[in-house]
Amino acid sequence: MTPYQIQSMLHALPLSLPPQLLLLLLLPLLASTANAACTNPTLRREWNQLTTSEKHAYISAVKKLTSRPLSHQYSDPTRMSIDDFSFTHAKNSHWAHANAEFLPFHRAMLKRYEQALQSAGWVGGLVYLDEGAVYDSWQKVDLFSGEYFGGMGNYAECIPDGQFSGTSGYKNMASDGSQQCVHRCGSGSLWSSQQINSQLLAKATTYEHNFHAVGHVVIGGKCDFGRASWSPRDPFFYLHHTYVDKVYWKWQNLCPSYKTAYEGNLADGEDPNSPLLGNSNPVRADLPLESWAGLTAADVFDTNNDLLCYTYSPSAGDVEYEAMRCPDGSVANTNPWTSLQATASQTIPKSKKKRARASRTNGVTSSKVVSTSINGTRHVQVTCNNDTRDYIVSTGCSIYKLFCSHISLAPTGYVHDASVGYAASDKCAMVLRPRCDTVPVYVRPAHLRAPDAKSVYQYPTFLTDAQVSERQLDLCGTRKSDAKMMEMVDELNAALRVPK
């Protein structure tokens, strides 16, 4: 039983109860809370597994949340509004992206949102869109029809139809604090299930989530869902992130050690010359997550514990694949719905939660400002495991978190306080990759060829140079990732052409 459920039950008890009787009522409740286990997990289903009436009921609950006033608190989801979720996501965007906290933060956010929906009348768990199954036909799913979430509009224009359209009167809080309609203007192709399996699940010993960003860009475009900080303004945000969490859940269930994998070095302070950066501390799973009062990363690692207690339905994108062996040499469990899940999903004992920690550190040892240009940009060098990498930090931005693979920026002087400002977190890149002198270009090996119109596997949509610039992403790092994806798609198509 969660703290907010206990609080609700206490409020429901008559004030006239004798103290002795009240104690007798509370003792079993507290005991069950301390020793409770997840025996009846909530099932999170795919959108197309809902009935027509359920789809309308889900949207009705979303609208009820939107009608609630801003509560400015994040511990009691029965009081939270849509604006509370958008606000805290925007204010913590620099602390909850591009690092180890990304997945636990959003998992905690989704659980609070699920509880909020249930308090608004929704019966069941969160809903996801199996994006990998409709990677090139997602706009044809009835989710984006005029009956439900509406389709694509133009930049700076309201969603043209559906129950969240401008004409429907639907509005929620925008970055300036005013109530505005929602904009959605995406196009292109998402990662397919095969690409997610081959690129992420089959090979990754650490969870990567590039497909997450592609989803925002393809479906959101330059509009609300495509913005890193304020993407929760679009109600589709929660279906997308529930899908991201499902893939994370599948990855966690591959190997027992993945359940508590939590890595990286977080450096406090904004000054690159600060001695703190020479002693960057590994992330700790027992530290509180940003915004979500009373929750740590360790609390949300295991979806089979009493706090979370949910599971996912199988859907069309859950195709078979082979994965590399686990770090301990055991065979990876590629089907989390089998009996093997019980072994891989044991609840973390409460006595061990605070001992969960990073399985390895990233070894950031030092950083320094090499030079500062006339326009205020700075050339910063970060040394990690005797490897020095160069970054160009934009004017008005400072280093907040350091990793060997990248750094995370925040606006200079930006206070980590949800009550300060509204749009400041859009100004600096959350992910900055090392500078490179030559932009990587994919050189196709002689034995491979580009996919044609009839090929089973196609390239997902890639960001243009202008889109990379608009999002303040690193062009070299982006193109390196693109080249890796293109080669993978070419190899998948080549495998199909091999005579059996």
Side-chain angles (χ1 to χ4, degrees), residues 214-227:
V214 171
H216 278 284
V217 171
V218 168
I219 297 176
K222 298 180 181 179
C223 297
D224 291 319
F225 184 62
R227 299 175 60 195

Side-chain angles (χ1 to χ4, degrees), residues 217-278:
V217 171
V218 168
I219 297 176
K222 298 180 181 179
C223 297
D224 291 319
F225 184 62
R227 299 175 60 195
S229 298
W230 286 90
S231 51
R233 291 200 66 231
D234 189 331
F236 177 70
F237 171 93
Y238 298 96
L239 280 80
H240 172 63
H241 269 273
T242 302
Y243 177 65
V244 172
D245 187 72
K246 178 184 177 180
V247 177
Y248 174 37
W249 171 79
K250 290 173 66 176
W251 178 82
Q252 284 185 304
N253 279 291
L254 283 172
C255 303
S257 62
Y258 293 174
K259 182 69 68 176
T260 56
Y262 194 57
E263 303 174 355
N265 285 66
L266 305 185
D268 295 324
E270 297 177 340
D271 180 4
N273 291 313
S274 168
L276 289 174
L277 301 189

Side-chain angles (χ1 to χ4, degrees), residues 46 48 129-139 141 190 193:
E46 207 271 338
N48 292 297
L129 176 66
D130 189 341
E131 298 172 16
V134 292
Y135 65 97
D136 60 349
S137 60
W138 57 270
Q139 292 197 52
V141 178
L190 303 165
S193 299

Side-chain angles (χ1 to χ4, degrees), residues 134-388:
V134 292
Y135 65 97
D136 60 349
S137 60
W138 57 270
Q139 292 197 52
K140 298 177 182 178
V141 178
D142 73 343
L143 173 75
F144 295 109
S145 71
E147 185 175 1
Y148 301 116
F149 279 62
M152 299 299 115
N154 298 315
Y155 178 68
E157 294 181 2
C158 303
I159 295 175
D161 57 3
Q163 299 199 41
F164 301 111
S165 66
T167 55
S168 73
Y170 183 82
K171 294 181 179 181
N172 59 37
M173 187 171 66
S175 59
D176 63 358
S178 67
Q179 295 289 310
Q180 297 181 18
C181 68
V182 179
H183 317 95
R184 188 189 306 132
C185 53
S187 64
S189 296
L190 303 165
W191 279 36
S192 69
S193 299
Q194 290 80 5
Q195 290 167 343
I196 291 175
N197 290 342
S198 300
Q199 182 79 355
L200 194 160
L201 294 175
K203 301 176 181 177
T205 56
T206 57
Y207 183 87
E208 299 174 355
H209 43 269
N210 288 345
F211 79 97
H212 152 259
V214 171
H216 278 284
V217 171
V218 168
I219 297 176
K222 298 180 181 179
C223 297
D224 291 319
F225 184 62
R227 299 175 60 195
S229 298
W230 286 90
S231 51
R233 291 200 66 231
D234 189 331
F236 177 70
F237 171 93
Y238 298 96
L239 280 80
H240 172 63
H241 269 273
T242 302
Y243 177 65
V244 172
D245 187 72
K246 178 184 177 180
V247 177
Y248 174 37
W249 171 79
K250 290 173 66 176
W251 178 82
Q252 284 185 304
N253 279 291
L254 283 172
C255 303
S257 62
Y258 293 174
K259 182 69 68 176
T260 56
Y262 194 57
E263 303 174 355
N265 285 66
L266 305 185
D268 295 324
E270 297 177 340
D271 180 4
N273 291 313
S274 168
L276 289 174
L277 301 189
N279 298 286
S280 300
N281 294 319
V283 292
R284 286 173 49 190
D286 62 327
L287 294 178
L289 292 171
E290 319 294 355
S291 287
W292 310 114
L295 295 181
T296 67
D299 290 327
V300 296
F301 283 152
D302 188 2
T303 62
N304 201 43
N305 65 25
D306 184 55
L307 171 67
L308 299 180
C309 197
Y310 67 82
T311 188
Y312 283 100
S313 66
S315 55
D318 294 314
V319 295
E320 293 184 1
Y321 68 98
E322 293 183 0
M324 62 189 292
R325 285 186 173 270
C326 296
D328 64 0
S330 61
V331 176
N333 174 27
T334 58
N335 185 350
W337 294 279
T338 65
S339 58
L340 289 176
Q341 182 186 6
T343 301
S345 302
Q346 294 299 316
T347 302
I348 303 172
K350 291 187 177 182
S351 61
K352 294 183 179 180
K353 280 184 178 180
K354 290 191 176 182
R355 293 201 294 270
R357 57 184 175 84
S359 58
R360 69 170 184 265
T361 64
N362 282 356
V364 177
T365 54
S366 67
S367 69
K368 64 179 180 179
V369 177
V370 177
S371 62
T372 302
S373 67
I374 296 176
N375 64 6
T377 60
R378 286 165 294 151
H379 174 194
V380 175
Q381 288 186 338
V382 176
T383 300
C384 178
N385 297 327
N386 298 319
D387 179 24
T388 299

Side-chain angles (χ1 to χ4, degrees), residues 4-17 22 25-26 29:
Y4 94 91
Q5 289 174 319
I6 296 174
Q7 184 181 41
S8 299
M9 292 185 68
L10 289 176
H11 285 313
L13 292 174
L15 296 177
S16 58
L17 283 176
L22 181 61
L25 290 172
L26 286 178
L29 175 63

